[in-house]
Amino acid sequence: MFSLSWFHRLSDNLKGIVLLILASFVFSLMALLIKLLGQHLHITQILLVRQIGMALMVSPAIMRNFPGSLRSKRPAMQILRVGFALVAMLGGFTAIIHMPLAEATAIFFAKSFFLTIFAVFFLAEVVGIYRWGAVLIGFVGVMIMLQPGTDNFTIYGLASLIGAAGAAAVMVMLRILSRSDSADTIMTYGALGVGLFMIIPGIYYWQEISTIEWLLLVAVAVVSYFGQKCNIYAYKYGEASLLASLDYIRLLWATLFGYLVFDQLPGVPTWIGAAIVIAAAIFMIYRETRRHTWLIIKLTVTLIPK
């Protein structure tokens, strides 16, 4: 009989690492399924069915406090967050369908740099010269992957970049909304909002779905839900700075799936650009960790009785 006793014996950080690796695998599997479905079905149809499936899975949590879970102190921002989530999904999933998995995944890592920029303007966070330098270097890596002005440039690479910006905007808004709205309210708007927006385009572009495609669509909803759960529990157990630097293992899964299923491997520009992006992002995490450690030491020294 399968036992999880080994998992419970691990330290919290190791639990977080195991769950994050599992989440990165599951999210990469979701991307693979969406790419397979996108060969025949329209992206809005895929998103509509995915959101219906996810809404059904989170419905017990939604119904516990319904209709109270719909009461938001900032409903306009909740709707705006749903809009940016649509941008993130439509941009990111479109790139996944039309680009090699590894390339679309690598460009999407630009989310970290957009997050820094948005945090400055909307959260009034103070960013030093080192982090600004990392942002600039990171975008150099993105440009190497996009290769603008060459025959290798495609609109789908730009779609992945726009999707990354949308995902970063969602993360910033979640920080703001978490100050005023409950987790149930945030989850309800997220689960239902995207599905409602997708009803009209999803029906307009609706195509007949085969039995295999229905199974794949159900799998997309299930693995999306499972991946989010793994991600949440990973950050519950592990230190954020440690886990954030390990999230880039998703690129390895994407490369493996792209090669095994589609016989696609990223080119040299993608590897160079991705290495620059990942190095810049990890440097940002390192600087942030050091800054927080220094602030804690300084505060501790200040509070020691003289």
Side-chain angles (χ1 to χ4, degrees):
M1 184 176 178
F2 183 72
S3 173
L4 288 176
S5 58
W6 63 271
F7 179 80
H8 297 297
R9 290 195 296 268
L10 298 177
S11 67
D12 282 350
N13 270 339
L14 282 177
K15 288 178 182 176
I17 289 171
V18 169
L19 287 167
L20 188 78
I21 292 174
L22 182 58
S24 69
F25 174 82
V26 171
F27 282 135
S28 298
L29 179 59
M30 179 197 71
L32 172 62
L33 294 173
I34 288 173
K35 188 173 181 66
L36 289 169
L37 287 164
Q39 308 306 306
H40 174 237
L41 303 180
H42 194 270
I43 182 62
T44 57
Q45 185 179 2
I46 297 171
L47 271 178
L48 175 59
V49 177
R50 173 186 183 267
Q51 290 306 117
I52 291 173
M54 291 194 67
L56 289 174
M57 283 184 283
V58 301
S59 59
I62 293 174
M63 296 306 295
R64 273 201 305 265
N65 192 31
F66 193 84
S69 53
L70 287 175
R71 297 193 186 102
S72 171
K73 294 180 181 178
R74 309 188 74 166
M77 181 167 284
Q78 289 281 11
I79 294 171
L80 187 61
R81 175 180 73 96
V82 170
F84 279 116
L86 280 168
V87 171
M89 291 183 193
L90 288 172
F93 291 169
T94 298
I96 283 170
I97 291 170
H98 295 282
M99 296 179 69
L101 278 174
E103 291 185 17
T105 301
I107 294 172
F108 201 80
F109 287 152
K111 174 182 65 176
S112 302
F113 310 120
F114 283 116
L115 183 59
T116 296
I117 296 170
F118 293 159
V120 170
F121 289 103
F122 299 108
L123 298 176
E125 291 188 5
V126 178
V127 175
I129 188 171
Y130 289 106
R131 283 183 67 185
W132 279 123
V135 168
L136 291 175
I137 292 172
F139 277 117
V140 169
V142 172
M143 289 301 106
I144 291 174
M145 288 187 285
L146 288 176
Q147 302 180 69
T150 71
D151 293 338
N152 293 321
F153 175 78
T154 69
I155 193 67
Y156 301 115
L158 192 59
S160 185
L161 189 63
I162 292 172
V170 169
M171 293 176 71
V172 169
M173 289 187 174
L174 284 175
R175 290 188 189 180
I176 298 173
L177 287 167
S178 63
R179 300 169 185 169
S180 59
D181 289 352
S182 68
D184 282 345
T185 298
I186 292 173
M187 181 178 63
T188 301
Y189 273 87
L192 301 180
V194 174
L196 289 174
F197 275 105
M198 283 294 102
I199 289 176
I200 293 177
I203 293 175
Y204 180 80
Y205 289 107
W206 191 270
Q207 301 177 64
E208 186 178 352
I209 303 175
S210 68
T211 303
I212 295 296
E213 287 169 338
W214 272 118
L215 292 174
L216 291 177
L217 285 166
V218 171
V220 166
V222 172
V223 299
S224 297
Y225 177 78
F226 184 66
Q228 289 182 15
K229 282 287 188 180
C230 288
N231 208 43
I232 290 169
Y233 280 103
Y235 281 91
K236 174 184 176 181
Y237 286 115
E239 297 173 14
S241 58
L242 170 65
L243 299 182
S245 61
L246 290 173
D247 191 43
Y248 297 99
I249 197 173
R250 198 179 302 188
L251 181 58
L252 300 179
W253 294 124
T255 302
L256 179 63
F257 288 153
Y259 175 70
L260 292 178
V261 179
F262 299 100
D263 196 25
Q264 295 175 335
L265 284 174
V268 174
T270 299
W271 284 117
I272 295 174
I276 293 173
V277 166
I278 293 172
I282 291 177
F283 177 76
M284 287 172 57
I285 296 166
Y286 169 73
R287 287 291 305 178
E288 191 66 14
T289 303
R290 283 197 62 187
R291 186 173 73 89
H292 284 185
T293 302
W294 170 245
L295 287 174
I296 292 171
I297 293 173
K298 187 175 181 180
L299 179 62
T300 303
V301 171
T302 303
L303 294 176
I304 293 176
K306 299 296 191 292

